[in-house]
Amino acid sequence: MQNPAKVAVITGAAGGIGRALCQGFIEDGYRIAALDVDAPALSELLAQLGEGHQGFTCDLASETQIVATVAQVAARFGRIDVLVNNAALGPSMAATCDTTLEGFALALAVNTLGPTLMAREAARHMGRGAAVVNVASLAGLLANPKRNAYASSKAALISMTRSLACEWAERGIRVTAVAPGYVLTPMVAGLEQAAKVDLQQVRRRIPMGRLARPDEIAAAVRFLASAEARQVTGSVLPVDGGWACFNQPGDAHPPVASVPDAERHRPQASAAARVVVVSGGGGAASEVIAARFRAQGDTVIVLEPQAEAAVRQAFAVIQRQYGRVDVLINAALLEAPRADHPESLMSTLNRTLTAAFLSIREALNCMPVSGGVVLNIGSLPAGGTVAARQAQAAAWQGSEMLGRCQAAELAAAGVRVVNLAGAAPYPGDIAAAALFLASASASYITGATLYVDGGRSAFANAAQAAIFDDTEVA
Ligand SMILES: NC(=O)c1ccc[n+]([C@@H]2O[C@H](COP(=O)([O-])OP(=O)(O)OC[C@H]3O[C@@H](n4cnc5c(N)ncnc54)[C@H](O)[C@@H]3O)[C@@H](O)[C@H]2O)c1
């Protein structure tokens, strides 16, 4: 990942997530153009970043300032490879009748128009392989009372993400977003101090039982910005500890007595090789995935589709031989035949969805007390749910929901379940995404779906889509 010439522009750099982004992109070898409206905080940040980086004071509510600042960045660095639109005004938590028009419009100006103008200006200096990552919010996907302006601004930003991804696909510029749940930053600390949020109550509502650390949001952004995600565009990745996949009254996680350690500090990464089972595989695409995990030192076992007794037996043997399963990859959906007759619906569902359920049930007996990962990888029918691919589409929808249900059930036990929707032509890119999702860098991602489809799912009309062209992308 090291490329000292690359430049990342990070807005809201002096905030909680902004600092983690600066640190992370420096680790990836980038020079940083750090933007923030808070000049003293920016100077203090720059002093910590070291040589080769520069700060720019800029108010994202001002188009004039954005145009001038991006021109200064380009003059100073000569290129822009990544733009992370991270700055935002937080939620006011005001009721509708207490919200002024100025306050509402300002949130839209800073949180939606500002990032769009930043992208417009930055794209003038971007080449093929460049990426824009927008830091949206779960509040832009799920409704909440008293978040009117903030939530609307983030939903609009998500829409802009998809629009720009479509528009710039032919230029080889990718546009994606992350949608964080609650993150322990000054923004949230401010809400807690003002008694506008009760964090103990929030932790009980999160299946993982804790808030995210800023570095966990930064890790997702770094992946989306990297060449490993070169077929990911128009995608919005929730990084929310499972919040969005829990739909029950009451607590998603038992109450915790104090602030969990994993919320304050990144746990020590284990260097041990993992035991990875690729279930329902055996085809070319799952072989590519297996090879990628093997290449990084994991022990990989590929199980071909089998009946219940044989699957049970296979996991019993794995448990005896290796002592555990760290990662289960359900690849049956990836290898599913392209059935196109209503009569084939049940057999396709059995070969894919039921097979995935069976593997997860048996693998759970072998997973460690905490830290297990399940990935459901499906191959999306081109153009979405189309009549000619009804069985495949139904299997994918069912499998995605299965993953979400299991994420909600298993988060408290420390097992993450993530769905990966790939497009058939990109097995290497699906493998790269699987590697990230199964890694400690994705530690707050559960119940989410990542689309690795060259932007197909972002296009409203697939027939008119300008398919993302990755020629010459590094
Ligand atoms: N913290 C959370 O729980 C959470 C949850 C979901 C999404 N997010 C999003 O993550 C991003 C970062 O949030 P954070 O928690 O690090 O917040 P933060 O308040 O710690 O940082 C925000 C930064 O943006 C800067 N900023 C604010 N208005 C600006 C403007 N007009 N022009 C330029 N810079 C401006 C601030 O000075 C600050 O440094 C935001 O987009 C936020 O909406 C945060």
Side-chain angles (χ1 to χ4, degrees):
M1 259 199 195
Q2 293 287 318
N3 183 348
K6 288 194 169 185
V7 174
V9 179
I10 297 170
T11 72
I17 295 171
R19 284 167 191 262
L21 285 165
C22 291
Q23 201 54 52
F25 276 95
I26 289 172
E27 277 170 32
D28 293 343
Y30 284 79
R31 290 174 294 161
I32 307 295
L35 272 62
D36 209 291
V37 73
D38 185 341
L42 198 54
S43 307
E44 183 246 319
L45 168 73
L46 259 290
Q48 293 170 14
L49 294 187
E51 293 294 304
H53 315 291
Q54 191 161 325
F56 300 84
T57 307
C58 177
D59 182 352
L60 293 183
S62 159
E63 180 178 12
T64 314
Q65 289 191 31
I66 288 173
V67 171
T69 303
V70 176
Q72 286 167 25
V73 170
R76 160 71 173 82
F77 291 105
R79 60 189 287 171
I80 296 175
D81 299 280
V82 172
L83 164 65
V84 185
N85 274 316
N86 166 69
L89 283 177
S92 66
M93 307 297 217
T96 301
C97 291
D98 301 329
T99 303
T100 64
L101 199 58
E102 292 74 20
F104 193 92
L106 183 62
L108 296 185
V110 174
N111 298 1
T112 313
L113 183 60
T116 305
L117 295 175
M118 280 297 303
R120 183 190 74 188
E121 293 308 304
R124 299 188 199 284
H125 308 280
M126 286 177 158
R128 303 194 75 77
V132 177
V133 186
N134 293 322
V135 180
S137 171
L138 210 56
L141 295 170
L142 300 174
N144 291 288
K146 299 188 180 179
R147 307 285 204 289
N148 291 335
Y150 181 76
S152 304
S153 73
K154 291 296 188 178
L157 180 62
I158 287 170
S159 184
M160 287 308 303
T161 302
R162 296 196 174 111
S163 301
L164 292 180
C166 298
E167 185 179 327
W168 291 343
E170 283 171 306
R171 292 178 58 186
I173 299 174
R174 297 182 301 104
V175 188
T176 57
V178 292
Y182 277 92
V183 192
L184 200 57
T185 68
M187 186 183 272
V188 166
L191 292 174
E192 189 184 33
Q193 275 156 21
K196 288 181 173 174
V197 63
D198 174 349
L199 291 187
Q200 283 302 63
Q201 211 174 10
V202 167
R203 289 183 185 100
R204 295 208 303 268
R205 174 59 185 78
I206 302 170
M208 279 180 66
R210 66 172 177 89
L211 278 67
R213 301 183 310 275
D215 70 88
E216 291 175 302
I217 308 304
V221 172
R222 288 161 67 188
F223 167 73
L224 291 173
S226 75
E228 295 285 56
R230 64 184 188 158
Q231 288 300 341
V232 183
T233 192
S235 302
V236 179
L237 178 61
V239 187
D240 67 351
W243 182 297
C245 67
F246 188 82
N247 189 36
Q248 287 286 297
D251 293 350
H253 189 281
V256 287
S258 55
V259 180
D261 274 351
E263 195 172 298
R264 292 189 189 282
H265 313 288
R266 192 186 335 196
Q268 189 90 31
S270 162
R274 296 173 301 182
V275 178
V276 179
V277 174
V278 181
S279 176
S286 46
E287 243 334 297
V288 173
I289 295 168
R292 193 72 207 264
F293 278 83
R294 270 192 206 107
Q296 70 158 26
D298 293 325
T299 301
V300 182
I301 302 131
V302 178
L303 297 181
E304 294 194 7
Q306 297 171 89
E308 181 174 10
V311 172
R312 187 173 282 164
Q313 168 74 6
F315 278 100
V317 170
I318 291 168
Q319 176 71 11
R320 266 202 309 280
Q321 202 165 336
Y322 302 100
R324 65 186 196 285
V325 171
D326 298 298
V327 180
L328 170 69
I329 298 177
N330 277 314
L333 258 136
L334 194 59
E335 308 287 359
R338 292 185 156 200
D340 55 2
H341 303 295
E343 305 75 53
S344 62
L345 177 62
M346 201 57 213
S347 68
T348 300
L349 292 178
N350 281 337
R351 285 191 56 164
T352 55
L353 185 47
T354 309
F357 169 76
L358 178 61
S359 296
I360 298 171
R361 192 187 71 189
E362 296 308 312
L364 282 178
N365 296 324
C366 312
M367 284 210 166
V369 176
S370 182
V373 180
V374 176
L375 297 183
N376 291 321
I377 306 186
S379 177
L380 286 181
T385 311
V386 289
R389 299 275 179 267
Q390 54 184 228
Q392 195 187 1
W396 166 252
Q397 294 283 325
S399 164
E400 192 181 23
M401 183 51 78
L402 175 67
R404 290 162 61 75
C405 290
Q406 290 175 329
E409 177 187 334
L410 300 170
V415 174
R416 294 189 297 111
V417 186
V418 188
N419 296 310
L420 200 169
Y426 313 128
D429 301 289
I430 293 171
L435 211 60
F436 162 71
L437 291 171
S439 75
S441 297
S443 48
Y444 203 64
I445 301 177
T446 192
T449 299
L450 175 64
Y451 288 85
V452 184
D453 64 352
R456 283 166 172 75
S457 52
F459 290 108
N461 184 345
Q464 291 172 358
I467 297 301
F468 181 68
D469 174 6
D470 68 340
T471 353
E472 297 171 43
V473 171

